[in-house]
Amino acid sequence: MQYIDTHTHIDGEEFKDDLELVVQRASNAGALKLFVPGINLASIESIRNICKRFPDYCYGMIGLHPEDVKEDYASVLDKMEKEEGNWIAIGEIGLDYYWSREFEQQQLEAFERQVQWAIERRLPLMIHCRKAQNEMVRILRKYSDRLPGGVFHCFTGNEHEAEELLAFEGFCLGIGGVLTFKKSNLPQTLANAVPLNRIVLETDAPYMAPVPHRGERNESAFIVNIIEKLADVYGVSTDEVANITTENARRLFPLAF
Ligand SMILES: [Zn+2]
């Protein structure tokens, strides 16, 4: 079984002591490639280092995460825009009103400007959205005839929300550990409203570890638990889940293949 982890923060502090082993376990479990989203200026360097250390295995993205958007966001984006690199996507970018709406206006502006980068550079989008789907959809619709596709990462919404997102052509939903949580409605939602060819796999490591690892530090090897659950939801083999989601990732992130 071979799969892609389309969203893992292995450049983070949490992995600094045993990164080699984490990547080895991922590879042993079947992870073909790991995609590492950017979150701020500091992560540009840490992701470059990871990609250098694991060439043809780790691939980086560039972007300003909504929780890192503050008053100075415009100058941060000015700096980011000048950073060269083999980025495979713009991300993770988006809107997050879960903890605070303090920088609501700045988040909207930062998100829109980065959507424009993705369009200009023809790079896919890695989108993070919490408690802000209406606002996010409103911005994306302004560009709907030009969007380069991408991922709505960590999707946990209902059927209506899934349908609204899948109306954007060339986008997939990122599915991770939440699918395996006992009280999650996600299995039902996926079965009813989301075809397997619109799903990519992700850990969001170190967060969101799937059952039976819930509460632990997450890592790419744990995607096997998500694949097993998806096989159950769709009534297909684990190989089929792995193959189709890998094909989806290949379609979305051509620069990583
Ligand atoms: Zn993330």
Side-chain angles (χ1 to χ4, degrees):
M1 190 163 69
Q2 294 188 309
Y3 62 85
I4 311 279
D5 185 349
T6 60
H7 194 120
T8 172
H9 298 279
I10 50 163
D11 61 315
E13 277 289 296
E14 297 85 351
F15 296 106
K16 72 175 186 339
D17 294 332
D18 62 347
L19 183 61
E20 204 73 41
L21 289 171
V22 168
V23 170
Q24 194 56 56
R25 282 197 293 270
S27 175
N28 291 346
L32 279 174
K33 294 172 191 291
L34 310 181
F35 299 167
V36 188
I39 55 171
N40 53 29
L41 283 175
S43 70
I44 293 174
E45 208 43 44
S46 58
I47 291 172
R48 275 202 188 109
N49 291 337
I50 292 274
C51 296
K52 224 176 277 167
R53 194 160 154 194
F54 304 101
D56 299 324
Y57 195 70
C58 292
Y59 297 81
M61 312 177 204
I62 188 165
L64 183 61
H65 190 288
E67 286 179 76
D68 284 81
V69 171
K70 309 283 184 241
E71 258 134 23
D72 65 347
Y73 82 92
S75 67
V76 171
L77 291 182
D78 287 343
K79 286 184 196 135
M80 220 172 239
E81 201 167 9
K82 298 190 188 91
E83 293 287 346
E84 308 273 332
N86 297 320
W87 314 115
I88 62 161
I90 301 294
E92 59 180 296
I93 66 170
L95 304 172
D96 192 325
Y97 299 153
Y98 184 79
W99 298 109
S100 154
R101 284 183 175 257
E102 188 185 355
F103 296 108
E104 178 172 355
Q105 193 52 39
Q106 289 91 338
Q107 284 194 28
L108 290 166
E109 289 164 16
F111 177 55
E112 183 159 357
R113 182 164 160 199
Q114 293 178 93
V115 169
Q116 292 167 351
W117 289 358
I119 291 170
E120 286 157 19
R121 302 183 192 185
R122 300 312 299 165
L123 287 173
L125 288 153
M126 176 60 71
I127 298 179
H128 168 115
C129 179
R130 256 203 313 185
K131 296 267 178 261
Q133 183 157 325
N134 291 341
E135 293 88 340
M136 176 193 65
V137 164
R138 206 171 303 133
I139 290 174
L140 290 179
R141 280 193 184 139
K142 285 169 65 175
Y143 301 93
S144 57
D145 56 334
R146 283 169 287 164
L147 290 173
V151 176
F152 295 108
H153 139 71
C154 198
F155 175 77
T156 57
N158 60 32
E159 285 175 38
H160 165 74
E161 288 163 326
E163 281 158 7
E164 185 174 66
L165 297 181
L166 293 180
F168 291 99
E169 251 175 73
F171 279 82
C172 283
L173 306 183
I175 300 298
V178 173
L179 179 73
T180 66
F181 295 175
K182 209 170 165 193
K183 286 186 181 150
S184 173
N185 295 318
L186 202 48
Q188 201 57 48
T189 305
L190 294 187
N192 291 343
V194 184
L196 202 45
N197 67 5
R198 301 297 297 276
I199 288 176
V200 291
L201 305 174
E202 62 175 38
T203 50
D204 204 14
Y207 316 107
M208 298 289 189
V211 174
H213 301 284
R214 196 168 177 183
E216 296 172 28
R217 180 188 70 173
N218 200 1
E219 59 177 74
S220 298
F222 297 169
I223 280 201
V224 171
N225 300 109
I226 298 159
I227 292 176
E228 282 167 0
K229 182 71 189 184
L230 280 172
D232 205 42
V233 167
Y234 288 98
V236 298
S237 68
T238 51
D239 276 329
E240 197 166 343
V241 171
N243 291 341
I244 293 174
T245 54
T246 297
E247 226 16 78
N248 299 341
R250 194 186 295 272
R251 207 167 59 234
L252 254 51
F253 299 93
L255 292 178
F257 290 88

mmCIF file of all heavy atoms in Angstrom, residues 123-158:
data_model
loop_
_atom_site.group_PDB
_atom_site.id
_atom_site.type_symbol
_atom_site.label_atom_id
_atom_site.label_comp_id
_atom_site.label_asym_id
_atom_site.label_seq_id
_atom_site.Cartn_x
_atom_site.Cartn_y
_atom_site.Cartn_z
ATOM 1 N N LEU A 123 -0.065 27.781 -8.991
ATOM 2 C CA LEU A 123 0.232 26.803 -7.948
ATOM 3 C C LEU A 123 -1.059 26.473 -7.205
ATOM 4 O O LEU A 123 -1.868 27.365 -6.955
ATOM 5 C CB LEU A 123 1.241 27.379 -6.947
ATOM 6 C CG LEU A 123 2.682 27.512 -7.412
ATOM 7 C CD1 LEU A 123 3.510 28.247 -6.360
ATOM 8 C CD2 LEU A 123 3.286 26.143 -7.706
ATOM 9 N N PRO A 124 -1.263 25.200 -6.860
ATOM 10 C CA PRO A 124 -2.473 24.844 -6.124
ATOM 11 C C PRO A 124 -2.508 25.476 -4.734
ATOM 12 O O PRO A 124 -1.479 25.882 -4.198
ATOM 13 C CB PRO A 124 -2.399 23.316 -6.023
ATOM 14 C CG PRO A 124 -0.963 22.978 -6.227
ATOM 15 C CD PRO A 124 -0.394 24.045 -7.111
ATOM 16 N N LEU A 125 -3.699 25.525 -4.165
ATOM 17 C CA LEU A 125 -3.912 26.136 -2.849
ATOM 18 C C LEU A 125 -4.073 25.067 -1.778
ATOM 19 O O LEU A 125 -4.770 24.071 -1.988
ATOM 20 C CB LEU A 125 -5.198 26.966 -2.883
ATOM 21 C CG LEU A 125 -5.139 28.255 -3.680
ATOM 22 C CD1 LEU A 125 -6.535 28.621 -4.183
ATOM 23 C CD2 LEU A 125 -4.577 29.362 -2.820
ATOM 24 N N MET A 126 -3.445 25.294 -0.616
ATOM 25 C CA MET A 126 -3.701 24.464 0.567
ATOM 26 C C MET A 126 -4.447 25.372 1.539
ATOM 27 O O MET A 126 -3.856 26.295 2.105
ATOM 28 C CB MET A 126 -2.370 23.980 1.155
ATOM 29 C CG MET A 126 -2.487 23.180 2.432
ATOM 30 S SD MET A 126 -3.468 21.668 2.302
ATOM 31 C CE MET A 126 -2.395 20.605 1.324
ATOM 32 N N ILE A 127 -5.754 25.111 1.696
ATOM 33 C CA ILE A 127 -6.602 26.064 2.420
ATOM 34 C C ILE A 127 -7.030 25.541 3.783
ATOM 35 O O ILE A 127 -7.546 24.425 3.912
ATOM 36 C CB ILE A 127 -7.850 26.411 1.581
ATOM 37 C CG1 ILE A 127 -7.421 27.078 0.274
ATOM 38 C CG2 ILE A 127 -8.788 27.320 2.372
ATOM 39 C CD1 ILE A 127 -8.564 27.433 -0.649
ATOM 40 N N HIS A 128 -6.815 26.381 4.787
ATOM 41 C CA HIS A 128 -7.224 26.100 6.170
ATOM 42 C C HIS A 128 -8.412 27.004 6.477
ATOM 43 O O HIS A 128 -8.326 28.213 6.309
ATOM 44 C CB HIS A 128 -6.036 26.417 7.093
ATOM 45 C CG HIS A 128 -6.363 26.457 8.553
ATOM 46 N ND1 HIS A 128 -5.850 25.549 9.459
ATOM 47 C CD2 HIS A 128 -7.127 27.300 9.278
ATOM 48 C CE1 HIS A 128 -6.298 25.836 10.669
ATOM 49 N NE2 HIS A 128 -7.074 26.899 10.599
ATOM 50 N N CYS A 129 -9.505 26.426 6.927
ATOM 51 C CA CYS A 129 -10.691 27.241 7.195
ATOM 52 C C CYS A 129 -11.429 26.710 8.404
ATOM 53 O O CYS A 129 -11.816 25.546 8.441
ATOM 54 C CB CYS A 129 -11.607 27.210 5.974
ATOM 55 S SG CYS A 129 -13.109 28.153 6.216
ATOM 56 N N ARG A 130 -11.574 27.571 9.409
ATOM 57 C CA ARG A 130 -12.346 27.174 10.599
ATOM 58 C C ARG A 130 -13.315 28.271 10.957
ATOM 59 O O ARG A 130 -12.924 29.426 11.121
ATOM 60 C CB ARG A 130 -11.402 26.903 11.781
ATOM 61 C CG ARG A 130 -11.240 25.430 12.009
ATOM 62 C CD ARG A 130 -10.809 25.024 13.394
ATOM 63 N NE ARG A 130 -9.694 25.776 13.936
ATOM 64 C CZ ARG A 130 -9.123 25.481 15.094
ATOM 65 N NH1 ARG A 130 -9.550 24.472 15.809
ATOM 66 N NH2 ARG A 130 -8.139 26.200 15.546
ATOM 67 N N LYS A 131 -14.585 27.913 11.075
ATOM 68 C CA LYS A 131 -15.642 28.858 11.444
ATOM 69 C C LYS A 131 -15.694 30.050 10.477
ATOM 70 O O LYS A 131 -15.971 31.176 10.894
ATOM 71 C CB LYS A 131 -15.429 29.373 12.887
ATOM 72 C CG LYS A 131 -15.540 28.286 13.929
ATOM 73 C CD LYS A 131 -16.946 28.179 14.481
ATOM 74 C CE LYS A 131 -17.076 27.063 15.493
ATOM 75 N NZ LYS A 131 -17.634 25.835 14.981
ATOM 76 N N ALA A 132 -15.418 29.797 9.213
ATOM 77 C CA ALA A 132 -15.384 30.914 8.265
ATOM 78 C C ALA A 132 -15.701 30.471 6.835
ATOM 79 O O ALA A 132 -15.286 31.125 5.885
ATOM 80 C CB ALA A 132 -14.007 31.573 8.298
ATOM 81 N N GLN A 133 -16.452 29.390 6.687
ATOM 82 C CA GLN A 133 -16.649 28.883 5.315
ATOM 83 C C GLN A 133 -17.335 29.904 4.414
ATOM 84 O O GLN A 133 -16.959 30.063 3.255
ATOM 85 C CB GLN A 133 -17.400 27.545 5.303
ATOM 86 C CG GLN A 133 -17.543 26.997 3.876
ATOM 87 C CD GLN A 133 -17.764 25.504 3.788
ATOM 88 O OE1 GLN A 133 -17.230 24.742 4.590
ATOM 89 N NE2 GLN A 133 -18.552 25.071 2.813
ATOM 90 N N ASN A 134 -18.364 30.596 4.924
ATOM 91 C CA ASN A 134 -19.075 31.570 4.081
ATOM 92 C C ASN A 134 -18.132 32.641 3.552
ATOM 93 O O ASN A 134 -18.147 32.971 2.365
ATOM 94 C CB ASN A 134 -20.210 32.246 4.853
ATOM 95 C CG ASN A 134 -21.331 31.275 5.148
ATOM 96 O OD1 ASN A 134 -21.442 30.234 4.502
ATOM 97 N ND2 ASN A 134 -22.157 31.605 6.139
ATOM 98 N N GLU A 135 -17.308 33.175 4.451
ATOM 99 C CA GLU A 135 -16.374 34.227 4.063
ATOM 100 C C GLU A 135 -15.344 33.697 3.058
ATOM 101 O O GLU A 135 -14.992 34.374 2.098
ATOM 102 C CB GLU A 135 -15.654 34.773 5.305
ATOM 103 C CG GLU A 135 -16.543 35.535 6.283
ATOM 104 C CD GLU A 135 -17.195 34.630 7.329
ATOM 105 O OE1 GLU A 135 -17.301 33.399 7.116
ATOM 106 O OE2 GLU A 135 -17.627 35.175 8.371
ATOM 107 N N MET A 136 -14.869 32.479 3.298
ATOM 108 C CA MET A 136 -13.865 31.896 2.396
ATOM 109 C C MET A 136 -14.447 31.656 1.006
ATOM 110 O O MET A 136 -13.837 31.997 -0.017
ATOM 111 C CB MET A 136 -13.353 30.573 2.954
ATOM 112 C CG MET A 136 -12.392 29.888 2.002
ATOM 113 S SD MET A 136 -12.041 28.178 2.440
ATOM 114 C CE MET A 136 -13.632 27.418 2.241
ATOM 115 N N VAL A 137 -15.636 31.079 0.984
ATOM 116 C CA VAL A 137 -16.280 30.770 -0.297
ATOM 117 C C VAL A 137 -16.536 32.050 -1.085
ATOM 118 O O VAL A 137 -16.363 32.097 -2.304
ATOM 119 C CB VAL A 137 -17.576 29.966 -0.048
ATOM 120 C CG1 VAL A 137 -18.478 29.960 -1.271
ATOM 121 C CG2 VAL A 137 -17.222 28.541 0.372
ATOM 122 N N ARG A 138 -16.920 33.105 -0.363
ATOM 123 C CA ARG A 138 -17.188 34.376 -1.035
ATOM 124 C C ARG A 138 -15.936 34.885 -1.771
ATOM 125 O O ARG A 138 -16.018 35.341 -2.904
ATOM 126 C CB ARG A 138 -17.672 35.417 -0.013
ATOM 127 C CG ARG A 138 -18.540 36.502 -0.615
ATOM 128 C CD ARG A 138 -19.176 37.373 0.470
ATOM 129 N NE ARG A 138 -19.964 36.604 1.422
ATOM 130 C CZ ARG A 138 -19.891 36.738 2.750
ATOM 131 N NH1 ARG A 138 -19.052 37.612 3.296
ATOM 132 N NH2 ARG A 138 -20.652 36.007 3.539
ATOM 133 N N ILE A 139 -14.793 34.766 -1.120
ATOM 134 C CA ILE A 139 -13.546 35.215 -1.774
ATOM 135 C C ILE A 139 -13.204 34.308 -2.954
ATOM 136 O O ILE A 139 -12.901 34.780 -4.051
ATOM 137 C CB ILE A 139 -12.382 35.262 -0.755
ATOM 138 C CG1 ILE A 139 -12.624 36.423 0.222
ATOM 139 C CG2 ILE A 139 -11.035 35.430 -1.463
ATOM 140 C CD1 ILE A 139 -11.623 36.506 1.360
ATOM 141 N N LEU A 140 -13.284 32.998 -2.745
ATOM 142 C CA LEU A 140 -12.902 32.081 -3.828
ATOM 143 C C LEU A 140 -13.799 32.253 -5.051
ATOM 144 O O LEU A 140 -13.341 32.156 -6.190
ATOM 145 C CB LEU A 140 -12.951 30.626 -3.347
ATOM 146 C CG LEU A 140 -11.871 30.219 -2.341
ATOM 147 C CD1 LEU A 140 -12.066 28.767 -1.934
ATOM 148 C CD2 LEU A 140 -10.465 30.425 -2.904
ATOM 149 N N ARG A 141 -15.078 32.532 -4.809
ATOM 150 C CA ARG A 141 -16.001 32.660 -5.949
ATOM 151 C C ARG A 141 -15.644 33.830 -6.850
ATOM 152 O O ARG A 141 -15.916 33.791 -8.048
ATOM 153 C CB ARG A 141 -17.443 32.805 -5.444
ATOM 154 C CG ARG A 141 -18.035 31.470 -5.059
ATOM 155 C CD ARG A 141 -19.538 31.541 -4.849
ATOM 156 N NE ARG A 141 -20.014 30.232 -4.386
ATOM 157 C CZ ARG A 141 -20.928 30.049 -3.444
ATOM 158 N NH1 ARG A 141 -21.501 31.101 -2.861
ATOM 159 N NH2 ARG A 141 -21.282 28.831 -3.096
ATOM 160 N N LYS A 142 -15.018 34.852 -6.279
ATOM 161 C CA LYS A 142 -14.599 35.991 -7.111
ATOM 162 C C LYS A 142 -13.607 35.559 -8.187
ATOM 163 O O LYS A 142 -13.447 36.226 -9.202
ATOM 164 C CB LYS A 142 -13.907 37.062 -6.235
ATOM 165 C CG LYS A 142 -14.866 37.860 -5.395
ATOM 166 C CD LYS A 142 -14.142 38.708 -4.350
ATOM 167 C CE LYS A 142 -13.261 39.803 -4.920
ATOM 168 N NZ LYS A 142 -12.701 40.634 -3.807
ATOM 169 N N TYR A 143 -12.900 34.447 -7.916
ATOM 170 C CA TYR A 143 -11.843 33.997 -8.833
ATOM 171 C C TYR A 143 -12.178 32.637 -9.459
ATOM 172 O O TYR A 143 -11.295 31.979 -10.000
ATOM 173 C CB TYR A 143 -10.521 33.887 -8.072
ATOM 174 C CG TYR A 143 -10.097 35.198 -7.439
ATOM 175 C CD1 TYR A 143 -10.437 35.493 -6.115
ATOM 176 C CD2 TYR A 143 -9.387 36.143 -8.173
ATOM 177 C CE1 TYR A 143 -10.070 36.696 -5.538
ATOM 178 C CE2 TYR A 143 -9.018 37.347 -7.599
ATOM 179 C CZ TYR A 143 -9.356 37.615 -6.285
ATOM 180 O OH TYR A 143 -8.996 38.811 -5.726
ATOM 181 N N SER A 144 -13.430 32.229 -9.370
ATOM 182 C CA SER A 144 -13.743 30.817 -9.638
ATOM 183 C C SER A 144 -13.348 30.353 -11.036
ATOM 184 O O SER A 144 -13.027 29.183 -11.227
ATOM 185 C CB SER A 144 -15.209 30.528 -9.367
ATOM 186 O OG SER A 144 -15.992 31.378 -10.156
ATOM 187 N N ASP A 145 -13.315 31.264 -12.012
ATOM 188 C CA ASP A 145 -12.948 30.808 -13.367
ATOM 189 C C ASP A 145 -11.435 30.684 -13.549
ATOM 190 O O ASP A 145 -10.970 30.223 -14.587
ATOM 191 C CB ASP A 145 -13.537 31.764 -14.414
ATOM 192 C CG ASP A 145 -13.096 33.208 -14.187
ATOM 193 O OD1 ASP A 145 -12.776 33.565 -13.023
ATOM 194 O OD2 ASP A 145 -13.052 33.973 -15.165
ATOM 195 N N ARG A 146 -10.650 31.087 -12.531
ATOM 196 C CA ARG A 146 -9.184 31.080 -12.688
ATOM 197 C C ARG A 146 -8.456 30.260 -11.634
ATOM 198 O O ARG A 146 -7.234 30.170 -11.647
ATOM 199 C CB ARG A 146 -8.663 32.527 -12.591
ATOM 200 C CG ARG A 146 -8.885 33.362 -13.822
ATOM 201 C CD ARG A 146 -8.597 34.821 -13.534
ATOM 202 N NE ARG A 146 -9.664 35.409 -12.718
ATOM 203 C CZ ARG A 146 -9.540 36.566 -12.064
ATOM 204 N NH1 ARG A 146 -8.410 37.239 -12.107
ATOM 205 N NH2 ARG A 146 -10.559 37.050 -11.367
ATOM 206 N N LEU A 147 -9.173 29.705 -10.683
ATOM 207 C CA LEU A 147 -8.506 29.026 -9.557
ATOM 208 C C LEU A 147 -7.681 27.833 -10.037
ATOM 209 O O LEU A 147 -8.127 27.083 -10.910
ATOM 210 C CB LEU A 147 -9.539 28.557 -8.526
ATOM 211 C CG LEU A 147 -10.238 29.658 -7.731
ATOM 212 C CD1 LEU A 147 -11.344 29.054 -6.871
ATOM 213 C CD2 LEU A 147 -9.236 30.416 -6.865
ATOM 214 N N PRO A 148 -6.482 27.646 -9.457
ATOM 215 C CA PRO A 148 -5.623 26.541 -9.880
ATOM 216 C C PRO A 148 -5.928 25.211 -9.173
ATOM 217 O O PRO A 148 -5.200 24.251 -9.357
ATOM 218 C CB PRO A 148 -4.223 27.039 -9.486
ATOM 219 C CG PRO A 148 -4.454 27.969 -8.353
ATOM 220 C CD PRO A 148 -5.830 28.528 -8.474
ATOM 221 N N GLY A 149 -6.981 25.136 -8.398
ATOM 222 C CA GLY A 149 -7.291 23.899 -7.673
ATOM 223 C C GLY A 149 -6.540 23.835 -6.356
ATOM 224 O O GLY A 149 -5.749 24.721 -6.029
ATOM 225 N N GLY A 150 -6.782 22.771 -5.614
ATOM 226 C CA GLY A 150 -6.104 22.636 -4.331
ATOM 227 C C GLY A 150 -6.877 21.767 -3.361
ATOM 228 O O GLY A 150 -7.697 20.940 -3.754
ATOM 229 N N VAL A 151 -6.587 22.005 -2.073
ATOM 230 C CA VAL A 151 -7.154 21.169 -1.006
ATOM 231 C C VAL A 151 -7.854 22.035 0.033
ATOM 232 O O VAL A 151 -7.303 23.050 0.464
ATOM 233 C CB VAL A 151 -6.036 20.356 -0.296
ATOM 234 C CG1 VAL A 151 -6.611 19.561 0.872
ATOM 235 C CG2 VAL A 151 -5.328 19.440 -1.269
ATOM 236 N N PHE A 152 -9.059 21.652 0.413
ATOM 237 C CA PHE A 152 -9.685 22.197 1.617
ATOM 238 C C PHE A 152 -9.257 21.262 2.742
ATOM 239 O O PHE A 152 -9.806 20.176 2.920
ATOM 240 C CB PHE A 152 -11.203 22.255 1.471
ATOM 241 C CG PHE A 152 -11.645 23.208 0.393
ATOM 242 C CD1 PHE A 152 -12.159 22.727 -0.807
ATOM 243 C CD2 PHE A 152 -11.530 24.579 0.570
ATOM 244 C CE1 PHE A 152 -12.555 23.612 -1.810
ATOM 245 C CE2 PHE A 152 -11.922 25.466 -0.427
ATOM 246 C CZ PHE A 152 -12.436 24.979 -1.621
ATOM 247 N N HIS A 153 -8.228 21.727 3.454
ATOM 248 C CA HIS A 153 -7.538 20.874 4.406
ATOM 249 C C HIS A 153 -8.373 20.686 5.673
ATOM 250 O O HIS A 153 -9.128 21.563 6.062
ATOM 251 C CB HIS A 153 -6.176 21.544 4.662
ATOM 252 C CG HIS A 153 -5.692 21.555 6.052
ATOM 253 N ND1 HIS A 153 -5.263 20.428 6.665
ATOM 254 C CD2 HIS A 153 -5.539 22.558 6.944
ATOM 255 C CE1 HIS A 153 -4.867 20.747 7.892
ATOM 256 N NE2 HIS A 153 -5.031 22.020 8.088
ATOM 257 N N CYS A 154 -8.229 19.515 6.284
ATOM 258 C CA CYS A 154 -8.910 19.180 7.539
ATOM 259 C C CYS A 154 -10.411 19.413 7.449
ATOM 260 O O CYS A 154 -11.011 20.045 8.322
ATOM 261 C CB CYS A 154 -8.315 19.977 8.702
ATOM 262 S SG CYS A 154 -8.724 19.273 10.321
ATOM 263 N N PHE A 155 -11.030 18.875 6.428
ATOM 264 C CA PHE A 155 -12.475 19.041 6.287
ATOM 265 C C PHE A 155 -13.204 18.261 7.387
ATOM 266 O O PHE A 155 -12.942 17.084 7.609
ATOM 267 C CB PHE A 155 -12.955 18.558 4.913
ATOM 268 C CG PHE A 155 -14.447 18.618 4.794
ATOM 269 C CD1 PHE A 155 -15.069 19.838 4.571
ATOM 270 C CD2 PHE A 155 -15.230 17.482 4.963
ATOM 271 C CE1 PHE A 155 -16.449 19.926 4.506
ATOM 272 C CE2 PHE A 155 -16.611 17.565 4.896
ATOM 273 C CZ PHE A 155 -17.223 18.785 4.669
ATOM 274 N N THR A 156 -14.134 18.957 8.053
ATOM 275 C CA THR A 156 -14.925 18.285 9.100
ATOM 276 C C THR A 156 -16.391 18.708 9.030
ATOM 277 O O THR A 156 -17.139 18.517 9.981
ATOM 278 C CB THR A 156 -14.396 18.639 10.515
ATOM 279 O OG1 THR A 156 -14.420 20.065 10.663
ATOM 280 C CG2 THR A 156 -12.997 18.134 10.735
ATOM 281 N N GLY A 157 -16.800 19.294 7.906
ATOM 282 C CA GLY A 157 -18.138 19.879 7.824
ATOM 283 C C GLY A 157 -19.245 18.874 7.539
ATOM 284 O O GLY A 157 -19.038 17.658 7.547
ATOM 285 N N ASN A 158 -20.432 19.429 7.251
ATOM 286 C CA ASN A 158 -21.590 18.581 6.946
ATOM 287 C C ASN A 158 -21.737 18.397 5.424
ATOM 288 O O ASN A 158 -20.924 18.877 4.649
ATOM 289 C CB ASN A 158 -22.858 19.179 7.567
ATOM 290 C CG ASN A 158 -23.135 20.584 7.035
ATOM 291 O OD1 ASN A 158 -22.827 20.905 5.884
ATOM 292 N ND2 ASN A 158 -23.718 21.434 7.868
#
